[in-house]
């Protein structure tokens, strides 16, 4: 294959079939042969057309990676569908990569720097997000089942032989709580097992081909200096984090982080029943030693997790490194804490010898929940406060993340002062501080404290030391540098919705299908009763945002239509109709590129206000939203609708996840969102869905470097490679190019089309594709004294493709080619918008030019003596 050029195409989201990527089109009545696999396997493979001939000057090859995320129906599709339930963890993981000043060299990052402090806060938030999921599962197993569901009729509605919890020895004290604790621990075990199996992605290591033989250097390539011809000079310090050799191989880091998260989740699950029992029945005598030793072991796990989240052994990616002594110690402490918790819960007469029958709802409360012997709050003692304060703490943590990411360490003063104000207000109203007793309640301090904390988000933004001017209009930082908090916040709200929906759904089933409102035998925690109303308000705000986007689209469409329909000469009715079609796509292109980020920001502001008010509401410990005068029916109806929606939300998400792998349209639609979110490695949350790039980038790097290292006489040798990426494939190709050695990049030309590297990725992930990082890729593709080996294609009708303007060649692709048929055609030229770039004349002309440039050779300079 000497003298030939290989165009290696990488598709975008939604798993485009290899035949479509190669441009194979069946003729009428003729079955087109399937593309043949030349490298890889059935999950990820490299395909070529069966019509490829030995004399073709340009050979087209397609790399198919879509089976990793949105593949066709296989035996593992159910497992992949379950990843949809972990979307909150995926968003929290993405937040770490949205920091505006990610250091190029991770070893140079310091904990007290802006990037290091933001990363630590995000990792703490990810730990708390694992705690949120565990708390919801603990509420199901420990509160709803082990504490409230005490009569045989209620227990009979649970699949399995659970009636023994309501009879005899198991019905007394806190022993049924020990059985309910198996629910969160079992789910954590399943998550750990699934994450462990998915480490195969992070374990992919790119092969290192040998140096290319003498005589294989393109035109303009300088002599490499002393040593054998083609030898690679020592690598320069990285200028982009994607240049790190272990960026895509973090198996060891993932295992260590998973140990911390799973152990932290187990501690949260154990702390709920243990804390409730110890508060209601303080231990005495020898039992106190067991109880407080257990508390100390559980507290030690949390302390180690908080400290370890900032330590290099957890924050650095170093390949397949072992777990280490700290991970083993955390696992042992967690085992000791769980064993102690189970012993305390299984004591015959409680920790101090006093049964808990007077605190637990009796069997008579099931048929008559409003009886005089039934407590007003049927939930596990203290569980409501744990849920409310965990959510409030996460709110302040998000405000701190956004403030520090935008304005550095100085912005941490506002959230810290707000947290201190809230703590002092709670202590004063509770009588823990000297002075007259407070007449206010703790929830009244939430809104002022959150307002004070939010002032940190308004401080002037601190630019990065090497930050350059944006390369084009609307390429500045998304949301003013607050992207980590916004993305993590959406993940948090989704996680809270999952948890509230799960608690509502289980409570409905235990109540025999009745809606858990009013005095029913089994009720979810009091803070959850506010979730339905808040969910409806959030949906209304989302609908208002969608309406605003629709109005903007109509206005932009009118502008584009006025420009298209006024060419200076009259147009036919057919052409005017086509102008309406084209103007719709051009308007959508402008809407996404000019207004999408701002619309998401306004929705985030409305949601933040709702969250602050919701935190104040749940801390008020009122079981139901108060209805305003004259609006009781509306509030009651909205709360009921929200409760019903939340109750079926987990089921709906799971159903959609299964549908994604049974329906092509659903798979492609959901894949657009899913493939973008799971591109980044799991450096913040190890229980998130696996990153497909952990496998795709090493495989592409191995394939590209291996072909370029072949000798001239090898039948598969090539003069050069056109690395051609579409949509999300451009992001994968950019990561591959930054991983390749310089000797390989000299013989590569980068084609990007449908590219979001500036308008979306550059704004949301400036640490990798921002104004000071994207030029690194352009410089890496520029040989000394030559032009940049990068051509970007874009269309005015492509909603996801824009110019890049980072020093490369931008080519505008005309779409459609004409408003009406011509040259004997009867059908209108199609509006290709986001697809069909390789079929465009501009693409073919540029590929011919680039292939000629890559095939040029120069003689090897004569090596000097010695």
């Amino acid at each position: 294959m000497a003298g030939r050029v290989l165009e290696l195409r990488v598709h975008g989201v939604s798993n485009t079939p290899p035949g479509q990527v190669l441009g194979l089109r069946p003729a009428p009545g003729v079955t087109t042969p399937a593309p043949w696999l030349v490298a890889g396997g059935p999950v990820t493979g490299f395909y070529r057309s069966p019509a490829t001939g030995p004399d073709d000057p340009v050979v087209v090859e397609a790399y198919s990676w879509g089976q990793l995320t949105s593949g066709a129906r296989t035996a593992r599709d159910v497992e992949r569908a379950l990843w949809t339930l972990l979307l909150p963890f995926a968003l929290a993981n993405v937040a770490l990569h949205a920091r505006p000043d990610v250091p190029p060299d991770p070893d140079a990052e310091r904990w007290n720097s802006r990037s290091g402090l933001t990363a630590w806060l995000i990792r703490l938030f990810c730990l708390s997000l694992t705690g949120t999921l565990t708390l919801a599962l603990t509420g199901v197993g420990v509160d709803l089942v082990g504490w409230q569901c005490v009569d045989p009729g209620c227990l009979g509605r649970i699949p399995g032989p659970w009636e023994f919890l309501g009879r005899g020895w198991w019905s007394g004290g806190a022993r049924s709580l020990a059985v309910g604790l198996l629910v969160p621990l079992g789910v954590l075990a399943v998550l750990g097992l699934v994450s462990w199996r998915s480490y195969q992605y992070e374990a992919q290591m790119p092969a290192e081909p040998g140096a290319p033989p003498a005589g294989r250097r393109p035109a303009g390539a300088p002599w490499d200096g002393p040593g054998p011809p083609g030898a690679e000079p020592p690598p320069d310090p990285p200028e982009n984090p994607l240049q790190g050799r272990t960026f895509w191989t973090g198996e060891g880091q993932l295992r260590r982080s998973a140990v911390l998260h799973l152990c932290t989740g187990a501690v949260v699950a154990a702390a709920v029943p243990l804390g409730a029992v110890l508060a209601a029945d303080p231990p005495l005598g020898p039992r106190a030693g067991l109880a407080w030793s257990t508390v100390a072991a559980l507290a030690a796990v949390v302390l180690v997790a908080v400290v370890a989240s900032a330590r290099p052994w957890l924050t650095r990616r170093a390949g397949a490194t072992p777990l280490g002594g700290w991970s083993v110690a955390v696992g042992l402490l967690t085992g000791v804490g769980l064993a102690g918790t189970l012993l305390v819960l299984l004591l015959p007469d409680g920790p101090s010898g006093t049964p808990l029958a007077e605190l637990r709802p009796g069997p008579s409360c099931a048929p008559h929940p409003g009886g005089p012997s039934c407590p007003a709050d049927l939930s596990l003692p203290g569980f409501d406060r744990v849920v409310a304060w965990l959510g409030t703490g996460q709110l302040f943590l998000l405000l701190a993340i956004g403030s520090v990411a935008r304005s550095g360490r100085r912005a941490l003063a506002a959230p810290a002062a707000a947290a201190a104000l809230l703590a002092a207000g709670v202590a004063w109203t509770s009588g823990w501080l000297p002075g007259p007793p407070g007449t206010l309640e703790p929830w009244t301090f939430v809104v002022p404290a959150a307002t004070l904390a939010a002032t940190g988000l308004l401080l002037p933004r601190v630019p990065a030391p090497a930050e350059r001017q944006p390369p084009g209009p609307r390429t500045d930082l998304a949301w003013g540098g607050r992207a980590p908090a916004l993305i993590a916040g959406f993940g948090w709200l989704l996680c809270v919705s999952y948890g509230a929906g799960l608690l509502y759904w289980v409570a409905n089933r235990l109540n025999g299908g009745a809606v858990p409102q009013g005095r029913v035998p089994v009720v979810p925690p009091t803070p959850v009763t506010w979730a339905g109303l808040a969910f409806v308000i959030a949906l209304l705000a989302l609908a208002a945002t969608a309406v605003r986007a629709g109005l903007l689209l109509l206005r932009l469409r009118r502008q584009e239509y006025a420009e298209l329909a006024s060419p200076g000469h009259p147009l036919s009715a057919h052409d005017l109709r086509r102008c309406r079609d084209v103007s719709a796509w051009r308007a959508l292109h402008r809407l996404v590129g000019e207004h999408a980020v701002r619309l998401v920001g306004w929705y985030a502001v409305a949601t933040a206000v709702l969250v602050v008010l919701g935190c104040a509401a749940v801390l008020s410990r009122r079981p139901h939203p108060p209805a305003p005068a004259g609006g009781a029916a509306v509030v009651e109806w909205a709360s009921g609708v929200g409760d019903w929606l939340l109750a079926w939300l987990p089921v709906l998400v799971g159903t959609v996840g299964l549908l994604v792998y049974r329906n092509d349209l659903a798979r492609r639609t959901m894949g657009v969102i899913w493939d973008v979110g799971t591109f980044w490695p799991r450096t913040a949350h190890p229980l998130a869905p696996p990153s497909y790039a952990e496998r795709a980038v090493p495989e592409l790097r191995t394939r590209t470097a291996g072909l370029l290292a072949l000798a001239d006489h090898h039948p598969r040798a090539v003069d050069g490679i056109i690395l051609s990426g579409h949509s999300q494939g451009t992001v994968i190709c950019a990561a591959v190019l930054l991983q390749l050695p310089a000797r390989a990049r000299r013989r590569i030309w980068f084609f990007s089309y449908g590219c979001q590297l500036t308008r979306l990725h550059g704004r949301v992930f400036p640490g990798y594709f921002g104004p000071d990082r994207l030029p690194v890729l352009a410089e890496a593709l520029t040989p000394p004294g030559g032009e940049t080996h990068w051509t970007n294609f874009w269309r005015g009708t492509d909603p996801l493709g824009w110019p890049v303007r980072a020093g490369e060649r931008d080519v505008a692709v005309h779409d459609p080619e004409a408003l009406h048929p011509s040259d004997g055609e009867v059908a209108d030229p199609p509006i290709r918008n986001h697809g069909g770039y390789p079929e465009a004349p501009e693409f073919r002309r540029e590929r011919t030019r680039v292939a000629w440039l890559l095939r040029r050779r120069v003689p090897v300079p004569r090596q000097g003596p010695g």
Side-chain angles (χ1 to χ4, degrees):
M1 248 176 83
R4 302 171 75 182
V5 172
L6 174 69
E7 182 192 353
L8 182 52
R9 295 180 182 175
V10 184
H11 66 79
V13 299
S14 74
N15 190 25
T16 306
Q20 185 175 342
V21 175
L22 294 172
L24 302 181
R25 296 291 184 270
V30 179
T31 302
T32 302
W36 53 288
L37 184 69
V38 296
V43 178
T44 57
F46 297 82
Y47 296 84
R48 292 184 185 176
S49 169
T52 301
D55 299 328
D56 293 345
V58 178
V59 177
V60 181
E61 186 172 291
Y63 174 61
S64 177
W65 55 269
Q67 298 280 357
L68 294 173
T69 56
S70 54
R73 296 166 62 181
T74 64
R76 299 183 58 191
D77 282 347
V78 175
E79 177 185 331
R80 289 172 178 166
L82 293 177
W83 288 121
T84 2
L85 297 174
L86 300 181
L87 182 58
F89 295 166
L91 292 175
N93 181 72
V94 170
L96 181 70
H97 301 282
R99 290 174 294 160
D101 57 343
V102 182
D105 186 1
D107 294 331
E109 184 178 60
R110 296 295 177 262
W111 174 84
N112 57 353
S113 64
R114 178 170 66 159
S115 61
L117 189 58
T118 306
W120 180 61
L121 293 174
I122 292 174
R123 288 191 169 93
L124 291 183
F125 177 79
C126 289
L127 280 172
S128 72
L129 210 60
T130 303
T132 300
L133 174 64
T134 308
L135 202 61
L137 296 171
T138 306
V140 171
V142 175
D143 183 20
L144 299 184
V145 176
W147 184 259
Q148 300 186 49
C149 192
V150 292
D151 67 299
C154 177
L155 294 170
R157 301 187 185 102
I158 307 175
W162 299 100
E163 289 84 351
F164 72 94
L165 294 177
R167 298 192 302 264
W169 184 77
W170 286 101
S171 63
R175 288 176 285 279
S176 60
L177 304 184
V179 180
L181 193 59
L182 298 179
V183 173
L185 296 181
V187 174
L188 287 175
V190 171
L191 287 178
L193 178 62
V194 174
S195 297
W196 192 276
R197 291 182 57 189
S198 68
Y199 290 163
Q200 58 180 321
Y201 290 171
E202 285 78 1
Q204 294 290 324
M205 299 292 292
E208 296 290 346
R216 299 289 299 171
R217 289 202 309 279
W223 176 242
D224 290 333
E232 186 72 16
D236 295 328
E239 299 180 75
N240 191 307
L242 293 174
Q243 293 176 307
R245 290 303 179 190
T246 57
F247 187 88
W248 301 108
T249 54
E251 181 184 7
Q253 181 203 40
L254 193 61
R255 293 177 186 271
R256 293 191 296 269
S257 182
V259 169
L260 285 184
H261 276 257
L262 293 174
C263 291
T264 301
V267 166
V268 171
V272 170
L274 180 64
V277 170
L278 295 183
D281 190 15
L284 301 174
R287 303 185 181 191
L290 172 63
W292 296 118
S293 299
T294 302
V295 172
L298 298 178
V301 173
V302 176
L303 179 62
V304 171
V306 171
V307 175
S309 298
R311 302 302 301 165
W313 68 269
L314 181 67
T315 60
R316 305 293 186 265
R317 298 174 70 80
T321 52
L323 287 178
W326 281 104
S327 300
V328 176
V330 168
L332 292 176
L333 286 173
T334 303
V336 171
L338 290 177
T341 300
L342 293 176
L343 287 176
V344 171
L345 297 178
L346 294 176
L347 288 176
D349 298 321
S352 63
T354 303
L356 301 178
E358 65 275 10
L359 296 176
R360 180 177 180 175
S364 61
C365 293
H368 306 288
S373 61
C374 299
D377 187 2
L378 302 179
S379 297
L380 186 70
F383 187 60
D384 295 348
R385 295 184 180 181
V386 172
V387 173
W389 282 111
L390 176 62
T392 304
Q394 289 172 322
L395 169 63
F396 281 84
L397 191 56
L398 285 172
L399 294 175
I401 290 172
S403 301
V404 176
R406 173 179 169 83
S407 305
R409 291 177 297 175
R410 61 176 183 174
L412 191 61
L421 171 65
L422 183 60
V426 172
W428 178 59
T429 56
S430 302
W432 299 339
L433 293 180
T439 58
L440 301 177
E441 297 183 17
W443 65 269
T444 58
F445 292 91
V446 173
V447 174
T451 304
L452 175 60
T455 58
L457 300 173
L458 305 178
L459 295 177
R461 188 177 68 85
V462 176
E467 186 171 328
R468 309 179 187 181
Q469 291 295 325
R474 295 179 178 88
T475 56
D476 54 335
L477 288 183
W479 310 299
R482 309 178 188 92
L486 186 141
I487 297 174
F490 282 139
W492 173 55
L493 293 178
L494 190 58
C495 187
V496 171
S497 300
Y498 279 2
L502 180 63
L503 289 169
Y504 263 117
W505 190 85
V506 174
N508 285 349
R509 304 287 76 76
L510 295 180
N511 289 322
V515 179
Q517 293 179 346
R519 301 297 296 176
V520 290
V522 178
V523 297
T526 301
V528 178
T529 60
W530 291 86
L533 181 62
F535 191 66
V536 170
I537 297 176
L539 290 180
L540 292 176
L542 182 61
T545 305
V547 170
R548 174 60 178 165
L551 295 177
L552 285 173
L553 182 62
L554 291 176
R555 188 186 72 183
L556 295 174
R557 183 180 179 180
R558 287 195 297 267
Q559 295 176 0
E560 294 296 330
Y561 178 77
E563 182 178 348
L564 287 172
S566 303
H569 56 82
L571 296 177
S572 65
H574 177 275
D575 289 348
L576 291 177
R577 180 186 59 81
R578 289 279 286 168
C579 286
R580 287 194 294 268
D581 297 337
V582 175
S583 63
W585 284 105
R586 290 193 176 186
L588 187 59
H589 169 84
R590 291 184 56 187
L591 177 69
V592 176
E594 300 174 8
H595 303 282
V597 172
R598 185 173 70 252
L599 289 173
V600 173
W602 282 115
Y603 179 69
V605 171
T607 307
V609 174
L610 177 62
V611 168
V612 171
L613 297 178
C615 287
V618 298
L619 286 175
S620 66
R621 304 181 65 184
R622 294 177 181 174
H624 299 288
V634 176
V635 173
E636 188 70 19
W637 176 83
S639 300
V641 171
D643 295 343
W644 184 85
L645 292 174
L646 283 175
W648 287 99
L649 182 62
V651 180
L652 176 63
V653 172
T655 304
V656 171
L658 290 174
L659 183 64
V660 164
Y661 299 99
R662 292 182 175 272
N663 181 274
D664 291 339
L665 178 61
R667 181 167 67 247
R668 291 174 179 271
T669 303
M670 294 299 297
V672 173
I673 302 175
W674 194 249
D675 291 350
V676 173
T678 55
F679 168 79
W680 299 101
R682 294 180 283 183
T683 52
H685 206 301
L687 304 182
S691 165
Y692 59 86
E694 299 272 10
R695 180 168 175 176
V697 171
E699 285 187 350
L700 267 174
R701 180 177 183 268
T702 301
R703 177 70 174 171
T704 305
L707 289 176
L708 292 176
L710 295 174
D712 284 336
H713 56 79
H714 197 281
R716 292 187 297 164
V718 295
D719 275 353
I721 293 179
I722 300 175
L723 195 56
S724 177
H726 172 242
S727 189
Q728 185 68 12
T730 62
V731 185
I732 299 176
C733 291
V736 172
L737 290 168
L738 290 172
Q739 289 278 313
L740 285 170
R743 64 171 180 266
R745 288 197 299 263
R746 295 172 190 146
R747 299 166 57 196
I748 292 178
W749 202 290
F750 181 28
F751 277 7
S752 59
Y753 39 97
C755 178
Q756 309 104 29
L757 287 179
T758 52
R759 291 290 180 96
L760 293 182
H761 284 82
R763 303 183 69 182
V764 181
F765 307 106
Y768 304 90
F769 305 109
D772 57 327
R773 298 296 163 80
L774 197 58
V776 175
L777 177 60
E779 293 168 2
L781 293 170
T782 306
E787 64 175 313
T788 303
H789 288 192
W790 185 1
T791 305
N792 178 67
F793 303 88
W794 66 280
R795 293 190 180 112
T797 57
D798 187 352
L800 297 176
W802 298 279
V804 176
R805 298 194 182 101
E808 74 300 330
R809 175 180 167 91
D810 268 312
V811 176
V813 178
H814 194 66
D815 185 49
E817 297 179 6
L819 293 177
H820 49 266
S822 59
D823 299 332
E825 290 287 344
V826 296
D828 290 327
I831 304 174
R832 301 188 183 276
N833 51 78
H834 192 53
Y837 276 94
E839 300 173 3
E842 296 89 347
F843 187 96
R844 295 178 178 179
R845 286 194 297 267
E846 182 69 10
R847 188 178 66 174
T848 301
R849 184 186 75 90
V850 169
W852 179 80
L853 292 174
L854 291 176
R855 282 196 297 268
R856 290 190 303 165
R857 297 192 183 188
V858 293
V860 180
R862 183 180 303 172
Q863 193 170 3

